[in-house]
Amino acid sequence: MPTNKQGHIRLTSHPQAGAAIRFPLHWGAPTARERGPVVATANAGPDRNAIGAHGGAYSIYRSLAIASGALNPLVRPDLTDTAPVVEVGPFEQWGDPHRIVSLDPWGHRVQLDFAQEIAEGADIRPTIAITKARLTLPEIGQAIDAGRLKIDGTVIHESRDVAVTKAAIDPVWHLPGVAERFGVDETQLRRTLFEQTGGMYPELVTRPDLKVFLPPIGGITLYIFGDPAAIADPNRRLTCRVHDECNGSDVFGSDICTCRPYLTHGIEECIAEAQAGGAGLIVYNRKEGRALGEVTKFLVYNARKRQPGGDQAATYFERTECVAGVQDARFQQLMPDVLHWLGIKRIDRFVSMSNMKHDALVEGGIQIGERVPIPAYLIPDDASVEMEAKKAAGYYTPEGAPTEEDLKKTVGRDLGEF
């Protein structure tokens, strides 16, 4: 059996008969202590009860830091004063093993729930962190100038920055639950994950007793506008946008798609809801290029533009499938989990016209009231091909999209000339 430099045995085979894990995991248990802590550090020894490593994709950078001598592999985080700035949960969904399968609902509370074990030397680490911050966006300044938003000193400060509560969430997959969501056999899922990562995690096929996997992928960032307690309050309204990462547009402002305009529109709607006494929520999923990756996305851009007749809505998804083998790898089966973590049962205004997202939420037991499309004046000219392709493929449902006059009456805000 292989060992690391510290001599810890790294088991990759099924434990011998009678071997017991110190912290067994009971997914969906009603309390953190009944459920047990997720322990996935390499130096945890016999305490380790999960496949993979903390930090998702960043575990590779940690490996480089250790290999270069910049980081002591035995160092453990000092969690003093790192607790969440606001309380989240527990909610009834946390005790339902079918509602949350892709994150640890207790992952932000380890300093509290397992303080004794940590003090005794167990290497238990958070997978969720919650903090407060401020956002500064030029589009919000433009909305203020146009009269659509107002400086109130609470949500929007005099400096025009916006108060938010942020949460960062690393993925923690309960493999039986993930398999159930996708309608596949758990053994098949584990073997496919093992094979398609080049055998990176042999425990997927050699340790069927380990049911939790921390995949090497990006996580989720939440931006909460207004009172975080309002999110799960059925007597207060919630506006929400679920947004999948698009680095080229979100960060660099590319005009080939509507991602940043729709994101900033969602933020504006969330701010307006918070100022009206409700709450706003942006769920930002790290799924670049429909979860196909940025390299694949740029290859598709070239293929679309170089085809006879140029870029066309009729072949928009076809060119993606020719390069990637699939039109969209995001799916949305796991997406509702984070809303269940927040205790959400209803979204009053869903800032998205994606049928995939809508259907995943409804099938997950979350009610949706109004669906809010992106206003036509926010769609870049070069994004028209994307919009028409999404409409034709059923990814985007424009029927019933409100006009400027409708928005003025419904939202009570003048759209101005923006």
Side-chain angles (χ1 to χ4, degrees), residues 11 14-21 209:
L11 293 175
H14 195 280
Q16 296 179 353
I21 296 175
D209 59 310

Side-chain angles (χ1 to χ4, degrees), residues 131-197:
T131 189
K132 286 186 178 292
R134 294 189 182 187
L135 297 182
T136 301
L137 295 171
E139 290 88 346
I140 297 306
Q142 293 166 345
I144 294 171
D145 292 338
R148 299 194 305 273
L149 293 175
K150 301 184 184 303
I151 295 172
D152 62 351
T154 302
V155 180
I156 302 180
H157 299 278
E158 292 294 333
S159 56
R160 295 190 167 201
D161 54 13
V162 182
V164 294
T165 301
K166 301 196 301 185
I169 302 171
D170 281 340
V172 178
W173 288 6
H174 182 238
L175 291 170
V178 173
E180 182 182 32
R181 281 286 172 90
F182 281 87
V184 301
D185 179 74
E186 182 190 343
T187 300
Q188 177 187 349
L189 172 66
R190 296 171 76 110
R191 177 160 292 280
T192 303
L193 288 169
F194 168 71
E195 292 174 347
Q196 295 303 314
T197 57

Side-chain angles (χ1 to χ4, degrees), residues 135-350:
L135 297 182
T136 301
L137 295 171
E139 290 88 346
I140 297 306
Q142 293 166 345
I144 294 171
D145 292 338
R148 299 194 305 273
L149 293 175
K150 301 184 184 303
I151 295 172
D152 62 351
T154 302
V155 180
I156 302 180
H157 299 278
E158 292 294 333
S159 56
R160 295 190 167 201
D161 54 13
V162 182
V164 294
T165 301
K166 301 196 301 185
I169 302 171
D170 281 340
V172 178
W173 288 6
H174 182 238
L175 291 170
V178 173
E180 182 182 32
R181 281 286 172 90
F182 281 87
V184 301
D185 179 74
E186 182 190 343
T187 300
Q188 177 187 349
L189 172 66
R190 296 171 76 110
R191 177 160 292 280
T192 303
L193 288 169
F194 168 71
E195 292 174 347
Q196 295 303 314
T197 57
M200 184 181 292
Y201 302 101
E203 294 93 342
L204 286 166
V205 293
T206 62
R207 294 292 304 273
D209 59 310
L210 299 182
K211 298 295 186 180
V212 171
F213 175 44
L214 278 62
I217 59 176
I220 303 169
T221 308
L222 303 179
Y223 291 85
I224 300 170
F225 301 83
D227 181 4
I231 286 182
D233 186 342
N235 298 314
R236 300 168 76 177
R237 289 172 55 83
L238 173 65
T239 290
C240 173
R241 171 157 179 80
V242 176
H243 188 92
D244 292 328
E245 178 184 33
C246 178
N247 186 60
S249 180
D250 296 344
V251 178
F252 293 98
S254 169
D255 65 353
I256 199 171
C257 68
T258 59
C259 290
R260 182 181 174 94
Y262 219 154
L263 174 60
T264 57
H265 174 60
I267 291 173
E268 181 180 332
E269 294 294 333
C270 286
I271 293 171
E273 193 72 81
Q275 290 186 323
L281 171 67
I282 298 292
V283 178
Y284 194 85
N285 292 305
R286 307 304 296 270
K287 297 179 180 179
E288 179 66 57
R290 299 193 207 117
L292 299 170
E294 204 164 30
V295 169
T296 297
K297 182 165 74 170
F298 289 5
L299 293 174
V300 172
Y301 284 168
N302 288 345
R304 283 168 47 193
K305 294 174 182 177
R306 289 172 176 165
Q307 63 185 337
D311 199 7
Q312 305 167 40
T315 57
Y316 179 90
F317 290 106
E318 177 186 334
R319 299 310 301 154
T320 301
E321 190 167 0
C322 286
V323 175
V326 65
Q327 292 183 2
D328 193 331
R330 290 173 301 174
F331 309 104
Q332 295 294 345
Q333 283 92 330
L334 303 178
M335 179 267 290
D337 289 23
V338 70
L339 284 87
H340 290 310
W341 175 66
L342 291 168
I344 294 171
K345 295 183 178 180
R346 175 180 171 81
I347 298 171
D348 295 284
R349 305 187 74 241
F350 185 50

Side-chain angles (χ1 to χ4, degrees), residues 54 77 79 82 107-111 124-129 170:
H54 286 288
L79 299 178
T82 63
H108 57 304
R109 295 170 47 100
V110 300
Q111 306 96 315
I124 303 171
R125 305 190 181 190
T127 56
I128 300 175
D170 281 340

